[in-house]
Amino acid sequence: MAQHKVGLVLEGGGMKGLFTAGVLDFFLEKNLEFGEIIGVSAGAIHAVGFLSKQKRRSLDITLRFVNDKRYCSLSSLRKTGDLFNAKFAYYEIPEKYFPFDHDTFMKSKTKVFAVATNTDTAEAEYLQIKDLRTDDIEALRASASIPMLSNDVEYRGEKYLDGGVSDSIPLKQLEADGYPKNIVVMTKSANYRKKPSKTHLAMKKRYRNCPELIERVKNRHTEYNACLDYLNKQEESGKIFVIRPSNDDTKRIEKDTAKLQKLYDEGYNTAKKLYPQLKQFLEQ
């Protein structure tokens, strides 16, 4: 079922994104296609995996490497400045261990964008991913680079960090791009509301030359909750279809492979359960 007039938003959330991976693998089985996908952080990573049509690839990579020090560890953070080792995660894995299907990705007619936050302006930028054999891989990495746990990522003359800082749920951007009907895959439950964080205090020394970024992080809970309010409004009006996990038990940096497998299964089974309603939404 091709749906080129429908957009797809994929929220970030680190390992919580295994829920999204499960949803997308079900979408692959149903041959669902989209005109445009905007992903944030882990959502952007799963978006390109979806377009390569390599089912279970995201799950298999995570289960195999999540407890490997080369992939995600304090050791990597100390040695490289990145909790997720950039060289290993973004270059060695897709080239050596789980080859990425570039040909299938390049054949897709779907436009895919990764949200990244410009560290100087603190504004969201929507970076189109066209070819992961180019520096587009750095745009993807930028989207998932968590402040204080990652280095800034240089991409085409600018520096970027995690897209979730500036636009965690880029539904309005997708609508502005001409997609009034959209599917949104969340990694937080329906009851979730973001609470104030003191992260901005820890950032003051490292990002002392980026006051807008610090202020954005300080106010992130307010902006995120406003996004949730808009999301709920659009869902109630029938303009979007939202798929969410049932709870928020999984950690952003989760190491328990059983929990990660369970979260992936929940994503797959939730999409399967909701498919009759989703099909009706798409056909309206």
Side-chain angles (χ1 to χ4, degrees), residues 80-95:
T80 70
D82 291 304
L83 182 67
F84 287 87
N85 186 295
K87 182 180 179 181
F88 186 75
Y90 291 91
Y91 291 92
E92 289 189 31
I93 288 178
E95 293 172 5

Side-chain angles (χ1 to χ4, degrees), residues 5 19 27 31 35 45 54 59 72 74 80 82 86 89 117 148 160 176 185 206 212 226 237 261 267-268:
K5 295 182 179 179
F19 177 86
F27 284 0
N31 297 313
I45 293 171
Q54 292 171 275
L59 174 67
C72 173
L74 292 176
T80 70
D82 291 304
T117 303
M148 302 301 293
Y160 297 94
V185 180
R206 180 167 176 176
E212 292 87 355
S237 67
Q261 176 72 60
Y268 180 91

Side-chain angles (χ1 to χ4, degrees), residues 108-131:
S108 175
K109 296 179 180 179
T110 301
K111 293 181 179 180
V112 59
F113 296 84
V115 185
T117 303
N118 187 303
T119 58
D120 290 328
T121 66
E123 294 297 324
E125 294 187 21
Y126 307 89
L127 310 177
Q128 187 170 4
I129 309 299
K130 295 182 177 180
D131 187 348

Side-chain angles (χ1 to χ4, degrees), residues 19-241:
F19 177 86
T20 301
V23 171
L24 294 179
D25 278 352
F26 179 79
F27 284 0
L28 280 177
E29 290 184 3
K30 295 300 180 182
N31 297 313
L32 292 181
E33 297 181 6
F34 303 90
E36 181 173 318
I37 303 174
I38 303 182
V40 184
S41 191
I45 293 171
H46 293 308
V48 299
F50 172 67
L51 296 181
S52 76
K53 298 186 177 182
Q54 292 171 275
K55 188 178 177 184
R56 288 184 59 91
R57 182 175 180 273
S58 292
L59 174 67
D60 291 341
I61 288 173
T62 303
L63 295 184
R64 177 170 175 180
F65 293 114
V66 69
N67 289 301
D68 189 320
K69 291 183 179 180
R70 296 173 297 173
Y71 179 64
C72 173
S73 65
L74 292 176
S75 174
S76 173
L77 182 62
R78 287 192 296 268
K79 291 179 181 178
T80 70
D82 291 304
L83 182 67
F84 287 87
N85 186 295
K87 182 180 179 181
F88 186 75
Y90 291 91
Y91 291 92
E92 289 189 31
I93 288 178
E95 293 172 5
K96 180 179 179 181
Y97 296 99
F98 288 87
F100 184 78
D101 190 339
H102 293 283
D103 291 339
T104 298
F105 176 80
M106 295 291 289
K107 290 177 183 177
S108 175
K109 296 179 180 179
T110 301
K111 293 181 179 180
V112 59
F113 296 84
V115 185
T117 303
N118 187 303
T119 58
D120 290 328
T121 66
E123 294 297 324
E125 294 187 21
Y126 307 89
L127 310 177
Q128 187 170 4
I129 309 299
K130 295 182 177 180
D131 187 348
L132 290 173
R133 292 167 294 192
T134 69
D135 62 350
D136 283 1
I137 189 68
E138 291 299 291
L140 191 65
R141 184 165 77 88
S143 182
S145 295
I146 307 168
M148 302 301 293
L149 297 178
S150 308
N151 294 302
D152 297 0
V153 177
E154 293 191 17
Y155 175 72
R156 300 184 181 180
E158 300 286 345
K159 291 185 178 181
Y160 297 94
L161 281 172
D162 193 342
V165 170
S166 53
D167 195 356
S168 296
I169 312 169
L171 174 59
K172 288 185 178 181
Q173 179 63 32
L174 198 52
E175 292 171 340
D177 287 348
Y179 291 86
K181 177 182 284 191
N182 299 293
I183 297 170
V184 181
V185 180
M186 300 289 289
T187 55
K188 315 287 196 311
S189 70
N191 296 323
Y192 180 84
R193 301 292 288 187
K194 186 173 286 294
K195 298 178 181 179
S197 169
K198 295 183 179 180
T199 302
H200 66 284
L201 297 176
M203 293 174 61
K204 283 188 174 182
K205 182 178 180 180
R206 180 167 176 176
Y207 299 99
R208 57 184 175 276
N209 295 323
C210 305
E212 292 87 355
L213 180 66
I214 294 172
E215 190 68 15
R216 195 96 196 221
V217 171
K218 179 181 178 181
N219 296 321
R220 188 183 176 196
H221 66 287
T222 301
E223 293 188 3
Y224 184 87
N225 292 335
C227 284
L228 290 181
D229 292 339
Y230 182 74
L231 185 83
N232 293 336
K233 178 183 176 182
Q234 295 299 86
E235 184 179 20
E236 289 172 4
S237 67
K239 295 180 180 179
I240 64 173
F241 192 96

